[in-house]
PDB file of all heavy atoms in Angstrom:
ATOM      1  N   LEU D 410      26.569  37.649   4.202  1.00 92.00           N
ATOM      2  CA  LEU D 410      25.320  37.235   3.561  1.00 92.00           C
ATOM      3  C   LEU D 410      25.565  36.073   2.601  1.00 92.00           C
ATOM      4  O   LEU D 410      24.784  35.117   2.559  1.00 92.00           O
ATOM      5  CB  LEU D 410      24.692  38.416   2.820  1.00 92.00           C
ATOM      6  CG  LEU D 410      23.436  38.111   1.986  1.00 92.00           C
ATOM      7  CD1 LEU D 410      22.320  37.561   2.863  1.00 92.00           C
ATOM      8  CD2 LEU D 410      22.984  39.367   1.231  1.00 92.00           C
ATOM      9  N   ALA D 411      26.651  36.152   1.839  1.00 95.00           N
ATOM     10  CA  ALA D 411      26.966  35.087   0.882  1.00 95.00           C
ATOM     11  C   ALA D 411      27.115  33.737   1.575  1.00 95.00           C
ATOM     12  O   ALA D 411      26.600  32.716   1.104  1.00 95.00           O
ATOM     13  CB  ALA D 411      28.242  35.437   0.115  1.00 95.00           C
ATOM     14  N   LEU D 412      27.794  33.732   2.700  1.00 97.00           N
ATOM     15  CA  LEU D 412      27.976  32.476   3.439  1.00 97.00           C
ATOM     16  C   LEU D 412      26.658  31.978   4.005  1.00 97.00           C
ATOM     17  O   LEU D 412      26.380  30.780   4.011  1.00 97.00           O
ATOM     18  CB  LEU D 412      29.012  32.674   4.545  1.00 97.00           C
ATOM     19  CG  LEU D 412      30.444  32.959   4.071  1.00 97.00           C
ATOM     20  CD1 LEU D 412      31.343  33.312   5.250  1.00 97.00           C
ATOM     21  CD2 LEU D 412      31.018  31.772   3.295  1.00 97.00           C
ATOM     22  N   GLN D 413      25.817  32.909   4.468  1.00 95.00           N
ATOM     23  CA  GLN D 413      24.502  32.521   4.984  1.00 95.00           C
ATOM     24  C   GLN D 413      23.655  31.869   3.890  1.00 95.00           C
ATOM     25  O   GLN D 413      22.875  30.947   4.160  1.00 95.00           O
ATOM     26  CB  GLN D 413      23.777  33.747   5.542  1.00 95.00           C
ATOM     27  CG  GLN D 413      24.366  34.316   6.808  1.00 95.00           C
ATOM     28  CD  GLN D 413      23.700  35.619   7.211  1.00 95.00           C
ATOM     29  OE1 GLN D 413      22.755  36.078   6.567  1.00 95.00           O
ATOM     30  NE2 GLN D 413      24.194  36.229   8.279  1.00 95.00           N
ATOM     31  N   LEU D 414      23.808  32.346   2.652  1.00 95.00           N
ATOM     32  CA  LEU D 414      23.009  31.817   1.550  1.00 95.00           C
ATOM     33  C   LEU D 414      23.550  30.498   1.010  1.00 95.00           C
ATOM     34  O   LEU D 414      22.888  29.854   0.195  1.00 95.00           O
ATOM     35  CB  LEU D 414      22.946  32.846   0.420  1.00 95.00           C
ATOM     36  CG  LEU D 414      22.146  34.116   0.720  1.00 95.00           C
ATOM     37  CD1 LEU D 414      22.281  35.119  -0.424  1.00 95.00           C
ATOM     38  CD2 LEU D 414      20.681  33.799   0.972  1.00 95.00           C
ATOM     39  N   GLY D 415      24.759  30.103   1.422  1.00 97.00           N
ATOM     40  CA  GLY D 415      25.289  28.811   1.010  1.00 97.00           C
ATOM     41  C   GLY D 415      26.532  28.842   0.155  1.00 97.00           C
ATOM     42  O   GLY D 415      26.951  27.803  -0.372  1.00 97.00           O
ATOM     43  N   ALA D 416      27.165  30.018  -0.002  1.00 98.00           N
ATOM     44  CA  ALA D 416      28.410  30.080  -0.760  1.00 98.00           C
ATOM     45  C   ALA D 416      29.487  29.247  -0.074  1.00 98.00           C
ATOM     46  O   ALA D 416      29.567  29.184   1.160  1.00 98.00           O
ATOM     47  CB  ALA D 416      28.882  31.531  -0.897  1.00 98.00           C
ATOM     48  N   ALA D 417      30.339  28.617  -0.885  1.00 98.00           N
ATOM     49  CA  ALA D 417      31.417  27.793  -0.340  1.00 98.00           C
ATOM     50  C   ALA D 417      32.518  28.639   0.268  1.00 98.00           C
ATOM     51  O   ALA D 417      33.229  28.191   1.178  1.00 98.00           O
ATOM     52  CB  ALA D 417      31.980  26.891  -1.434  1.00 98.00           C
ATOM     53  N   SER D 418      32.686  29.866  -0.243  1.00 98.00           N
ATOM     54  CA  SER D 418      33.685  30.778   0.314  1.00 98.00           C
ATOM     55  C   SER D 418      33.260  32.199   0.001  1.00 98.00           C
ATOM     56  O   SER D 418      32.460  32.447  -0.919  1.00 98.00           O
ATOM     57  CB  SER D 418      35.074  30.508  -0.267  1.00 98.00           C
ATOM     58  OG  SER D 418      35.147  30.913  -1.631  1.00 98.00           O
ATOM     59  N   ALA D 419      33.792  33.139   0.760  1.00 98.00           N
ATOM     60  CA  ALA D 419      33.533  34.562   0.528  1.00 98.00           C
ATOM     61  C   ALA D 419      34.785  35.325   0.950  1.00 98.00           C
ATOM     62  O   ALA D 419      35.164  35.324   2.123  1.00 98.00           O
ATOM     63  CB  ALA D 419      32.316  35.030   1.312  1.00 98.00           C
ATOM     64  N   ASP D 420      35.433  35.963  -0.024  1.00 98.00           N
ATOM     65  CA  ASP D 420      36.698  36.657   0.220  1.00 98.00           C
ATOM     66  C   ASP D 420      36.659  38.046  -0.411  1.00 98.00           C
ATOM     67  O   ASP D 420      35.657  38.460  -0.995  1.00 98.00           O
ATOM     68  CB  ASP D 420      37.857  35.839  -0.348  1.00 98.00           C
ATOM     69  CG  ASP D 420      38.013  34.496   0.366  1.00 98.00           C
ATOM     70  OD1 ASP D 420      38.283  34.508   1.578  1.00 98.00           O
ATOM     71  OD2 ASP D 420      37.850  33.448  -0.294  1.00 98.00           O
ATOM     72  N   GLY D 421      37.775  38.761  -0.296  1.00 98.00           N
ATOM     73  CA  GLY D 421      37.871  40.093  -0.866  1.00 98.00           C
ATOM     74  C   GLY D 421      37.839  40.075  -2.386  1.00 98.00           C
ATOM     75  O   GLY D 421      38.162  39.062  -3.021  1.00 98.00           O
ATOM     76  N   ALA D 422      37.475  41.221  -2.971  1.00 97.00           N
ATOM     77  CA  ALA D 422      37.274  41.293  -4.420  1.00 97.00           C
ATOM     78  C   ALA D 422      38.522  40.930  -5.207  1.00 97.00           C
ATOM     79  O   ALA D 422      38.422  40.385  -6.319  1.00 97.00           O
ATOM     80  CB  ALA D 422      36.807  42.703  -4.803  1.00 97.00           C
ATOM     81  N   TYR D 423      39.701  41.212  -4.657  1.00 97.00           N
ATOM     82  CA  TYR D 423      40.954  40.958  -5.390  1.00 97.00           C
ATOM     83  C   TYR D 423      41.638  39.671  -4.941  1.00 97.00           C
ATOM     84  O   TYR D 423      42.725  39.360  -5.422  1.00 97.00           O
ATOM     85  CB  TYR D 423      41.887  42.158  -5.227  1.00 97.00           C
ATOM     86  CG  TYR D 423      41.389  43.397  -5.925  1.00 97.00           C
ATOM     87  CD1 TYR D 423      40.543  44.288  -5.266  1.00 97.00           C
ATOM     88  CD2 TYR D 423      41.730  43.666  -7.248  1.00 97.00           C
ATOM     89  CE1 TYR D 423      40.063  45.422  -5.907  1.00 97.00           C
ATOM     90  CE2 TYR D 423      41.261  44.791  -7.892  1.00 97.00           C
ATOM     91  CZ  TYR D 423      40.425  45.667  -7.215  1.00 97.00           C
ATOM     92  OH  TYR D 423      39.942  46.771  -7.859  1.00 97.00           O
TER      93      TYR D 423
END
Side-chain angles (χ1 to χ4, degrees):
L410 175 60
L412 294 173
Q413 291 173 3
L414 291 174
S418 71
D420 296 298
Y423 292 89

